[in-house]
Amino acid sequence: MSTPVTVEQVADAMFRMISDAAGVRKLKPTDVTKAVIEQFGADRCSKETCKEAIRQLVDSGRCIYTYFGGSYIELPQREIAE
Amino acid sequence: MSDKKPTPKLDELETGPWPSFVREMKRAAETSPMAEGLLGVVELSYEDRVGHWKHGGVVGVRGYGAGVIGRYSDVPEQFPDVAQFHTMRVNHPAGWFYKTDALRKICDIWERHGSGLTNLHGATGDVILLGTKTEELEPAFEELTENGFDLGGSGSVIRTPSCCVGPARCEWACFDTLALTYDLTRHFQDEIHRPSLPYKFKIKASGCPNDCVAAIARADLSVIGTWRDAIEVDEAALADYVRAGVDVRRDVCDLCPSRCLTWDDKTLTIDNAACARCMHCINVLPKALRPGRERGACLLIGGKAPIVSGAMLSSVLVPFMKIEPPYTELKELIGKILELWADEGKNRERVGEFIQRVGLGSFLEAIGLEPRPEMVKHPRENPYVFYEEYFEEEPK
């Protein structure tokens, strides 16, 4: 049986994706969830782990939620709409 | 305030005997620079005939992705007090019941941290607190939570569930809308505060088919009270109506949409199998007719106000479900719908639009529900559930 990835590993992978996409494409929480599950494999990474990872990213301040017609997850910026 | 700007166009809206939002904004402006600035921006919008707000941006307080809607003025140099004018949504109590001291607390908090202007209630139902600056979001949230309030939903989340007053004030309630709404709000906390869906998802509960919260038109998932046995008839009360001059044939039977009622000047006969549960007869003869005793709710899916592709009324999803604590069947069904839609839905695609795109048959199969005749809106005209066994192979 394959070893499950930790919440921290998933959070780091998500953070890399979000950093790489910054200024190029806005990613929704569902986008990063699907991407990391594809990256690690569904047998190693569950949706629950992804949910926890997003929670960790946002609660720690590494990422924030933004809203532009839909909800996205991005790197923290000051007053994005200004 | 010292630098009051003239507002001739808004002043016009104050004339007349009716209540005026301008009057309230001016009253708030006596102590709030933000309300004063708002008057200036709104006046400018009337002059320019365009809105002067930019929508979106950084949202939420720490940990939340919902509950705050960012608003920024596009003329901040003219109105610096409203350069930021964010809105906070506060989760309403089920049925919108408040003690007066609760309302005072909310108002006091908002006078300290915002413009002092509120909007009771928004389309979703939350208390809308209008206008604050970014640096006031956390302090306002802190005070709200200290006083027992939480933020509601905004963005791509389950929006704050709402309901009619139900059994608290209405004899027709077929289930406890208040208890269900409270329970669903607690159960789906994460999905209300942390965006994880393609777009908004609204749940509204109406206690009976009168649908006083208009769930059928405004909710992605409508829970509308109904019954599955026979309408109860009180013959003596019916006779009283007739003696009082009610024309049962004209006012009740002829207006029944499914024509399931007949009146022979003495007896009211109801074909309950044909009854559409519309409540018309019960509304006209409330003392004589009552919903049946086996009560629950009809679940409908896909309603929405027009944004991306026009308004849609909900369609029947489950004709009858018992709605009793701990609501396991309903919660499991909502969970399946959300999971499927989150996986397969497109960005900003409401669940009703998603069902139209993939087809009701595929949707039902994915969430594990059997097709039912009640799901077909127009029999033999536009059936969108197909049964494979009815298709014959083309001759070779």
Side-chain angles (χ1 to χ4, degrees), chain B residues 109-186:
Chain B
I109 292 168
W110 201 237
E111 285 192 353
R112 278 194 288 278
H113 298 289
S115 70
L117 294 166
T118 69
N119 171 223
L120 295 172
H121 293 94
T124 296
D126 320 74
V127 176
I128 307 290
L129 301 180
L130 297 165
T132 192
K133 296 176 179 172
T134 307
E135 64 265 26
E136 290 292 344
L137 291 174
E138 285 291 348
F141 176 58
E142 200 175 307
E143 269 209 64
L144 285 166
T145 48
E146 272 171 15
N147 285 282
F149 300 100
D150 194 6
L151 296 188
S154 67
S156 303
V157 296
I158 291 189
R159 297 299 178 85
T160 321
S162 63
C163 64
C164 70
V165 293
R169 294 194 66 202
C170 177
E171 62 191 304
W172 303 139
C174 294
F175 68 96
D176 190 339
T177 52
L178 308 158
L180 174 71
T181 301
Y182 180 72
D183 195 291
L184 290 180
T185 305
R186 304 280 297 206

Side-chain angles (χ1 to χ4, degrees), chain B residues 12-283:
Chain B
E12 260 187 69
L13 295 174
E14 272 189 292
T15 56
W18 45 79
S20 164
F21 71 94
V22 176
R23 198 170 301 144
E24 294 306 312
M25 280 164 54
K26 284 184 176 174
R27 198 174 293 171
E30 288 168 13
T31 53
S32 162
M34 292 195 91
E36 177 69 40
L38 180 65
L39 282 168
V41 175
V42 176
E43 177 73 18
L44 185 64
S45 287
Y46 278 104
E47 281 170 17
D48 296 349
R49 301 190 180 204
V50 291
H52 283 289
W53 300 111
K54 295 187 285 183
H55 179 206
V58 178
V59 292
V61 291
R62 175 61 67 92
Y64 280 26
V68 178
I69 302 107
R71 296 265 181 219
Y72 302 86
S73 166
D74 67 359
V75 283
E77 62 293 337
Q78 284 187 59
F79 303 101
D81 288 322
V82 289
Q84 301 155 358
F85 202 72
H86 309 316
T87 298
M88 291 186 98
R89 288 191 183 159
V90 178
N91 193 328
H92 53 259
W96 302 292
F97 288 104
Y98 301 90
K99 282 174 71 183
T100 48
D101 69 333
L103 288 172
R104 282 191 197 99
K105 271 179 198 163
I106 292 177
C107 294
D108 288 346
I109 292 168
W110 201 237
E111 285 192 353
R112 278 194 288 278
H113 298 289
S115 70
L117 294 166
T118 69
N119 171 223
L120 295 172
H121 293 94
T124 296
D126 320 74
V127 176
I128 307 290
L129 301 180
L130 297 165
T132 192
K133 296 176 179 172
T134 307
E135 64 265 26
E136 290 292 344
L137 291 174
E138 285 291 348
F141 176 58
E142 200 175 307
E143 269 209 64
L144 285 166
T145 48
E146 272 171 15
N147 285 282
F149 300 100
D150 194 6
L151 296 188
S154 67
S156 303
V157 296
I158 291 189
R159 297 299 178 85
T160 321
S162 63
C163 64
C164 70
V165 293
R169 294 194 66 202
C170 177
E171 62 191 304
W172 303 139
C174 294
F175 68 96
D176 190 339
T177 52
L178 308 158
L180 174 71
T181 301
Y182 180 72
D183 195 291
L184 290 180
T185 305
R186 304 280 297 206
H187 183 79
F188 289 109
Q189 280 290 290
D190 250 15
E191 287 77 10
I192 290 171
H193 293 139
R194 291 171 179 272
S196 58
L197 303 170
Y199 203 19
K200 64 183 84 165
F201 188 86
K202 297 183 174 183
I203 302 173
K204 296 189 193 300
S206 284
C208 79
N210 281 327
D211 192 14
C212 288
V213 291
I216 193 169
R218 306 190 301 139
D220 296 275
L221 182 77
S222 316
V223 185
I224 300 181
T226 189
W227 62 96
R228 61 178 168 189
D229 52 351
I231 292 173
E232 291 190 348
V233 183
D234 180 333
E235 297 292 350
L238 183 60
D240 287 345
Y241 276 114
V242 174
R243 271 195 294 278
V246 173
D247 186 333
V248 176
R249 182 173 293 116
R250 186 194 65 194
D251 297 337
V252 181
C253 301
D254 290 353
L255 296 176
C256 170
S258 58
R259 298 300 172 109
C260 70
L261 300 166
T262 47
W263 173 246
D264 65 0
D265 295 327
K266 283 181 188 161
T267 312
L268 184 69
T269 310
I270 305 175
D271 177 4
N272 280 285
C275 172
R277 290 7 182 208
C278 75
M279 291 290 290
H280 170 72
C281 57
I282 296 172
N283 290 335

Side-chain angles (χ1 to χ4, degrees), chain A residues 28-30 34 47 51 55 58-59 65-72 77 79-82, chain B residues 54-57 62-63 65 72 84 134 155-156 190-191 194-196 198 339 343 347-348:
Chain A
K28 291 182 83 83
T30 43
K34 282 178 193 171
K47 283 181 188 165
K51 209 170 169 180
R55 179 186 282 268
V58 172
D59 288 352
Y65 289 110
T66 59
Y67 182 83
F68 286 92
S71 298
Y72 300 91
Q77 298 166 47
E79 301 299 351
I80 282 179
E82 285 187 330
Chain B
K54 295 187 285 183
H55 179 206
R62 175 61 67 92
Y72 302 86
Q84 301 155 358
T134 307
S156 303
D190 250 15
E191 287 77 10
R194 291 171 179 272
S196 58
E339 192 175 350
D343 281 348
N347 189 20
R348 299 194 76 204

